[in-house]
């Protein structure tokens, strides 16, 4: 639809990329917070009197998980950009029959 409205490939890619980055940021922040809660719950549930598990998550673990999230997001954006370039304007506006 954006192609039919006159947007160029770069504008469409930037639009999709911006949306993906914003969603990745929100997902990373929310995921790190909820992951900490889940970690605490699991450790408290599994621990026994003769088994103590670590309750501390290092900053390095948070950084690695955030980095992996953004690398995966970048990879998805690269594939998505190639797919967006192959969409034909006329075909995208046809009704499903």
């Amino acid at each position: 639809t954006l192609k039919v409205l006159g947007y160029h490939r770069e504008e469409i890619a930037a639009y999709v990329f911006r949306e993906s980055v914003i969603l990745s940021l929100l997902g990373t922040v929310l995921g790190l917070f909820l992951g900490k809660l889940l970690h605490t719950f699991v450790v408290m549930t599994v621990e026994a009197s003769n088994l103590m598990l670590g309750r501390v998550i290092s900053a390095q673990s948070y950084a690695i998980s955030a980095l992996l999230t953004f690398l995966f997001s970048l990879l998805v954006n690269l594939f998505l950009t190639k797919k967006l370039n192959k969409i034909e304007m006329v075909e995208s506006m046809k009704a499903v029959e």
Side-chain angles (χ1 to χ4, degrees):
T1 305
L2 292 173
K3 278 187 175 184
V4 173
L5 291 174
Y7 285 85
H8 297 287
R9 287 182 183 172
E10 296 81 20
E11 292 172 318
I12 295 171
Y15 177 78
V16 172
F17 184 71
R18 247 189 328 267
E19 182 179 339
S20 177
V21 167
I22 291 169
L23 290 174
S24 294
L25 278 172
L26 291 173
T28 299
V29 170
L30 187 62
L32 291 175
F33 174 71
L34 292 176
K36 174 64 175 162
L37 293 177
L38 180 63
H39 171 265
T40 303
F41 172 75
V42 169
V43 167
M44 298 291 282
T45 304
V46 173
E47 277 186 347
S49 60
N50 60 350
L51 174 68
M52 295 296 289
L53 300 173
R55 295 185 183 187
V56 177
I57 301 175
S58 69
Q60 183 181 9
S61 295
Y62 284 114
I64 290 171
S65 63
L67 180 66
L68 287 174
T69 300
F70 283 106
L71 286 176
F72 182 73
S73 177
L74 179 65
L75 184 66
V76 168
N77 280 326
L78 290 174
F79 285 114
L80 186 60
T81 301
K82 289 181 181 182
K83 287 288 228 184
L84 286 173
N85 290 336
K86 293 181 182 179
I87 295 174
E88 295 294 328
M89 285 192 297
V90 176
E91 295 296 322
S92 69
M93 296 305 290
K94 285 186 179 178
V96 178
E97 297 176 318

